[in-house]
């Protein structure tokens, strides 16, 4: 249900026996410094390869740079250019440089994130002013 609505959710272990068992564990068993989720990792090591069990935590990333530089590039450029709010809040030269990639010493990911934030603000502004 969450994924169908583009939401990320964490489903807890709800069985009361699991909750009661977890609550009964000594603190030093549950919290082992930087060793996260020691009980689950120990259990998982019986079923999964070590590289999976010991893999560092990472978020779900979208290919934002590819989108910003590819299929959304024209839409972003048009949106940023037509948002009066962005033109009031930010220096036009800086916006043009960011969109055109000239004059900005940003890596690809950082530029994409900045453009995405401005694009979302521009979309909000366009929706607000057209209502």
């Amino acid at each position: 249900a969450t994924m169908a609505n583009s939401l990320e959710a964490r489903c807890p272990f709800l069985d009361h026996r699991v909750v009661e068992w977890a609550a009964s564990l000594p603190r030093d068993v549950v919290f082992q410094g930087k060793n996260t989720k020691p009980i689950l990792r120990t259990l998982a090591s019986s079923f999964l390869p070590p590289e999976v069990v010991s893999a560092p935590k990472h978020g779900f990333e979208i290919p934002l740079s590819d989108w910003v530089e590819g299929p959304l590039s024209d839409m972003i450029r048009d949106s940023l250019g037509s948002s009066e709010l962005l033109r009031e809040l930010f220096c036009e030269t800086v916006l043009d440089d960011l969109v055109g990639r000239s004059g900005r010493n940003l890596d690809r990911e950082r530029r994409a994130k900045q453009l995405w934030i401005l694009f979302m603000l521009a979309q909000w502004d366009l929706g607000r002013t057209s209502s």
Side-chain angles (χ1 to χ4, degrees):
T2 58
M3 295 307 284
N5 291 288
S6 302
L7 297 172
E8 180 179 348
R10 306 208 187 281
C11 301
F13 298 110
L14 293 178
D15 186 285
H16 70 92
R17 293 167 295 199
V18 174
V19 174
E20 291 164 2
W21 174 77
S24 73
L25 294 172
R27 187 172 177 83
D28 62 329
V29 171
V30 178
F31 300 103
Q32 297 180 3
K34 292 185 179 184
N35 182 16
T36 60
K37 304 176 187 168
I39 298 167
L40 288 175
R41 289 185 190 274
T42 301
L43 176 64
S45 67
S46 300
F47 303 98
L48 301 170
E51 60 272 12
V52 173
V53 174
S54 62
K57 187 176 177 179
H58 60 85
F60 175 73
E61 296 288 327
I62 59 171
L64 192 56
S65 297
D66 294 338
W67 291 353
V68 165
E69 293 171 3
L72 296 179
S73 62
D74 291 339
M75 187 185 306
I76 289 172
R77 186 181 311 100
D78 294 344
S79 190
L80 269 55
S82 60
S83 171
E84 291 182 28
L85 178 64
L86 291 184
R87 297 295 170 184
E88 291 173 21
L89 293 176
F90 302 102
C91 173
E92 192 169 339
T93 305
V94 173
L95 288 174
D96 291 342
D97 285 350
L98 184 60
V99 171
R101 293 194 86 165
S102 61
R104 300 288 287 173
N105 293 324
L106 295 175
D107 66 54
R108 186 173 181 240
E109 294 298 320
R110 187 175 175 109
R111 176 181 173 266
K113 287 178 183 175
Q114 289 185 1
L115 282 171
W116 186 257
I117 290 167
L118 292 171
F119 178 55
M120 292 296 104
L121 182 57
Q123 291 301 301
W124 172 81
D125 179 40
L126 293 171
R128 179 182 61 91
T129 56
S130 67
S131 307

